[in-house]
């Protein structure tokens, strides 16, 4: 009897963490594709070879979504991690959601598909789930500004989608005006805008504008100043208001910050190179914040961004 109960529990658990959803629920994008609400962020791994290990830990912990970029120079190591978990039978390719980004020096329309093909070759994949224009700013190979309209870049993105090299396409670091220019002048509406959102930079208006246009928002640097980042007087992980909420749910401050963003229907991308934190950061789907607690979280906003 005990054996049967344990077997049932095992399969129930397996059911929950297998498939695209993994441990995180998914959201439907404006093109009909499903995106997992939580991804492993991968920017700033000082030790790139550890990236492969981190991908393995993340998939074992129930992550199904990895956020990378050509800029991060870690696509090869991530590809090795993906190959490991598929080889070990943990997941199939279709259970994973892989996001990468076009860097600023490849904004000419004819450069987009080749840049994506280079990323795919490094990742060892034949498609990505989501391809983003990393920023509206175009540059030359030497980093100097280039005079290329992102509407041209977007035409290249549409070609990438038509070729099936990217299942969904979107933008990052675009403002509402720039998004509206794309919508007015293009065939495909971006599925996603990836922008900086965290308690000190809550971005209420930008998020509302995207949602009104049926564009999903990915929140980067979600932990904001609640991690060691030179808080300069901004509320941080010792603030009694957030400690009280954390205590109530037996969660860490980091988990409360992620939950606050998830309650707002934002896709979160916490980055960690440490196994226990990778596990901690996805352990946020068994509780909810009340409207009062969401109001407390809102008081941390000071419109302060980490990046320009
Ligand atoms: N589109 C863009 O322009 C853009 C810009 C920035 C970032 N991004 C994406 O968004 C991802 C996340 O942003 P981010 O890396 O800037 O910031 P983040 O994920 O908010 O914070 C990462 C920092 O928090 C620490 N950390 C992670 N989990 C923790 C925990 N549970 N407790 C305490 N500390 C913890 C990490 O250290 P350890 O690694 O030592 O744990 C790291 O120092 C990036 O990795 C990247 O994928 C995109
Ligand atoms: C609180 O959370 C920790 C870490 O997840 C867990 O080990 C512990 O059993 C929890 N305590 C209670 C009272 O639920
Ligand atoms: C943040 O910016 C918004 C929009 O510009 C503004 O309404 C709000 O008052 C600002 N909040 C703070 C704390 O500066």
């Amino acid at each position: 009897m005990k054996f049967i109960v344990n077997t049932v529990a095992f399969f129930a658990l397996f059911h929950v963490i297998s498939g695209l959803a993994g441990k995180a629920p998914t959201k439907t994008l404006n093109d009909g594709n499903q995106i997992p609400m939580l991804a492993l962020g991968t920017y700033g791994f000082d030790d790139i070879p550890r990236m492969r290990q981190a991908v393995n830990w993340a998939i074992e912990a129930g992550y199904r979504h990895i956020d990378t970029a050509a800029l991060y120079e870690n696509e090869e190591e991530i590809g090795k991690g993906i190959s490991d978990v598929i080889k070990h039978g943990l997941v199939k390719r279709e259970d994973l959601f892989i996001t990468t980004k076009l860097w600023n020096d490849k904004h000419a329309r004819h450069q987009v598909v080749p840049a994506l093909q280079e990323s795919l070759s490094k990742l060892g994949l034949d498609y990505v789930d989501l391809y983003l224009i990393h920023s509206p700013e175009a540059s030359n190979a030497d980093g100097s500004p280039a005079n290329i309209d992102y509407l041209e870049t977007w035409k290249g993105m549409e070609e990438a989608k038509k070729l099936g090299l990217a299942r969904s396409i979107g933008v990052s670091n675009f403002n509402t005006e720039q998004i509206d220019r794309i919508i007015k002048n293009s065939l495909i509406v971006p599925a996603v805008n990836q922008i900086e959102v965290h308690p000190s930079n809550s971005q209420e208006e930008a998020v509302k504008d995207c949602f009104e246009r049926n564009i999903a928002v990915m929140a980067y640097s979600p932990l904001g100043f609640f991690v060691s980042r030179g808080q300069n007087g901004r509320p941080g992980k010792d603030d009694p208001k957030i400690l009280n909420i954390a205590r109530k749910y037996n969660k860490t401050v980091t988990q409360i910050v992620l939950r606050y963003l998830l309650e707002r229907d934002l896709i979160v991308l916490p980055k960690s190179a440490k196994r226990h934190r990778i596990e901690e950061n996805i352990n946020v789907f068994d509780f909810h914040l009340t409207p009062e607690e969401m109001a407390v979280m809102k008081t941390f906003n000071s419109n302060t961004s980490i990046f320009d």
Side-chain angles (χ1 to χ4, degrees):
M1 184 59 199
K2 190 156 183 266
F3 170 77
I4 292 169
V5 170
N6 285 344
T7 307
V8 169
F10 174 79
F11 282 107
L13 179 70
F14 188 73
H15 181 74
V16 169
I17 63 169
S18 69
L20 177 63
K23 242 191 193 175
T26 61
K27 171 177 172 130
T28 306
L29 297 172
N30 63 17
D31 58 11
N33 292 331
Q34 299 280 319
I35 185 169
M37 294 300 293
L38 185 141
L40 179 69
T42 67
Y43 176 63
F45 266 73
D46 30 10
D47 177 11
I48 296 284
R50 285 182 61 202
M51 195 63 253
R52 176 179 185 170
Q53 179 68 75
V55 170
N56 276 267
W57 288 335
I59 303 303
E60 283 168 26
Y63 289 65
R64 294 294 176 264
H65 183 176
I66 313 280
D67 179 79
T68 182
L71 177 72
Y72 307 163
E73 295 184 341
N74 60 12
E75 289 169 314
E76 260 172 74
E77 287 299 317
I78 289 175
K80 288 178 192 163
I82 293 170
S83 161
D84 292 339
V85 294
I86 292 177
K87 208 175 295 168
H88 297 157
L90 257 74
V91 285
K92 300 192 272 299
R93 168 64 184 97
E94 59 267 31
D95 298 330
L96 297 176
F97 191 102
I98 309 298
T99 298
T100 194
K101 313 185 192 88
L102 175 79
W103 185 236
N104 301 356
D105 61 355
K106 301 277 167 46
H107 271 213
R109 178 178 180 170
H110 71 272
Q111 289 179 304
V112 177
V113 165
L116 175 53
Q117 282 165 330
E118 195 182 328
S119 284
L120 288 171
S121 150
K122 288 181 175 161
L123 287 162
L125 301 176
D126 47 22
Y127 69 92
V128 289
D129 297 275
L130 179 61
Y131 199 42
L132 303 177
I133 304 181
H134 206 138
S135 117
E137 312 294 335
S139 69
N140 297 303
D142 65 3
S144 61
N147 186 22
I148 303 171
D149 190 334
Y150 53 79
L151 290 180
E152 287 304 303
T153 318
W154 189 251
K155 290 197 176 85
M157 299 292 283
E158 291 178 330
E159 285 157 11
K161 181 170 162 89
K162 270 185 218 119
L163 289 168
L165 300 174
R167 295 267 165 101
S168 296
I169 53 174
V171 296
S172 179
N173 299 303
F174 277 55
N175 63 31
T176 300
E177 200 181 316
Q178 291 161 335
I179 287 175
D180 281 342
R181 252 190 98 225
I182 291 186
I183 294 175
K184 203 176 281 175
N185 295 288
S186 314
L187 297 170
I188 302 178
V189 175
V192 160
N193 188 18
Q194 182 177 126
I195 54 176
E196 183 185 317
V197 192
H198 49 77
S200 310
N201 190 23
S202 62
Q203 300 260 37
E204 315 270 339
E205 281 180 37
V207 169
K208 181 168 157 280
D209 289 346
C210 285
F211 286 179
E212 279 171 4
R213 289 157 181 76
N214 199 14
I215 296 170
V217 177
M218 294 170 84
Y220 75 66
S221 303
L223 306 182
F225 296 100
F226 282 79
V227 294
S228 49
R229 222 168 207 158
Q231 293 171 355
N232 292 332
R234 289 176 209 94
K237 54 183 182 297
D238 300 329
D239 190 289
K241 291 201 293 289
I242 196 164
L243 281 175
N244 277 338
I245 302 175
R247 217 170 283 130
K248 172 177 165 189
Y249 295 104
N250 189 31
K251 293 287 180 185
T252 64
V253 163
T254 305
Q255 289 169 326
I256 301 298
V257 169
L258 293 172
R259 193 63 236 170
Y260 151 74
L261 298 168
L262 290 163
E263 300 291 357
R264 294 177 56 198
D265 207 21
L266 303 169
I267 297 149
V268 293
L269 322 174
K271 172 262 171 185
S272 180
K274 300 186 171 72
R275 184 172 201 165
H276 70 281
R277 288 176 171 175
I278 288 173
E279 289 168 354
E280 173 186 338
N281 294 345
I282 199 173
N283 188 10
V284 290
F285 295 103
D286 56 355
F287 74 110
H288 284 283
L289 299 180
T290 65
E292 293 74 23
E293 289 158 352
M294 289 298 287
V296 168
M297 292 304 296
K298 227 174 139 168
T299 66
F300 292 121
N301 183 40
S302 55
N303 296 334
T304 314
S305 56
I306 294 166
F307 296 88
D308 291 337

